[in-house]
Amino acid sequence: MSIAVTILGNSSAKPTASGHPSAQVVNVNEQYFLVDAGEGVQRQMARCGVSPLKLRAVFISHLHGDHFFGLFPLLSTLGLYGRRTALKVYAPRPFGEMLDGFLRLCESDLPYQIEWVEVDTTKHQIIFENDTTEVWSLPLRHRIPTAGYLFRQKEPALNVKKFSIERYGLTVQQIVQAKRGEDVVLPSGEVLANADITYRPYGALSYAYCSDTNYSARLAKMVEGVDMLYHETTYSADMRKTAKERGHSTTADAAKVAQMAGVGRLIIGHFSSRYKDLEALQAECREIFPATDIARERETFLIEPKATKQ
Ligand SMILES: [Zn+2]
Ligand SMILES: [Zn+2]
């Protein structure tokens, strides 16, 4: 019941000899989601051993090329692989127009459906939900409409403490009641408060992806307490003015958001091609927020469940 984030690309728009533009695979409870799909995403997935057939859905932050130019080739490949199940692509407008053109002019007989779900980049709301997972949109401050994505595991079902079952001789019916979150009344009339006899087997985990964006205090509020935050750091701290003008963040901006939000860990990426020494960027962040790491390509960052008390 962990969340694993595999970095496929950590660079911003200008190509470099070794770096790839933004893309990552977020694995929540063995459900694979592709988040952004910069050029080369298919090859990076192959290098990281992630089969594209496993993808449950795709989330695109915005329609700058370094975040989606790799998507259409991937959609074609899924056809070659014989995918049959529909694939949802969450993206801001006007992605639907691009998809229509692609399907009409390039791939008129794909063996599976591609369903575009429009993301309202002005709202912080649930856009994907199933029994175990929620995905929330995060309004970002960029030059064009842009959304980040917040992945949240749902709280696991309640378990009843073994100690309580034995001590009070709880019946199957009473255990079911307790698992539903109800108090249990014993034959003696004693009421057992639900919180005293149950526990959650593990804590729900969360991960937020935020690229591209200016510094935003509002964003810090929306990602408060997440276990791991990916925040772009296109520029070093001395490039504050440039970052602001171009709708991006500096190392200090990202670290400040992480600090204000009280996140467990900060991962930085979307680096400008001008930086060869990523450690220097990391060091700037660590001055403000020590638990900062570089989103190195092909590295997987694991968020593991915290043990809860029985
Ligand atoms: Zn970008
Ligand atoms: Zn952008």
Side-chain angles (χ1 to χ4, degrees), residues 11-13 22 61-62 64-67 142 211-212 232 234 248 270:
S11 303
S12 58
S22 291
S61 62
H62 65 301
H64 279 157
D66 57 321
H67 295 258
H142 195 37
S211 187
D212 303 353
E232 71 128 293
T234 309
H248 286 299
H270 197 271

Side-chain angles (χ1 to χ4, degrees), residues 1 28 41 48 69 76 78 93-94 111 117 121 124 138 156 189 191 201 219 224 229 231 238 241 254 266 274 288 307:
M1 286 307 195
V28 185
V41 64
C48 294
F69 278 171
S76 291
L78 288 173
R93 200 185 282 265
V117 182
T121 60
H124 177 44
L138 299 166
V191 178
L219 177 63
E224 201 166 352
L229 167 70
H231 195 294
D238 59 330
K241 192 165 168 279
L266 170 65
R274 75 180 65 214
I288 298 168

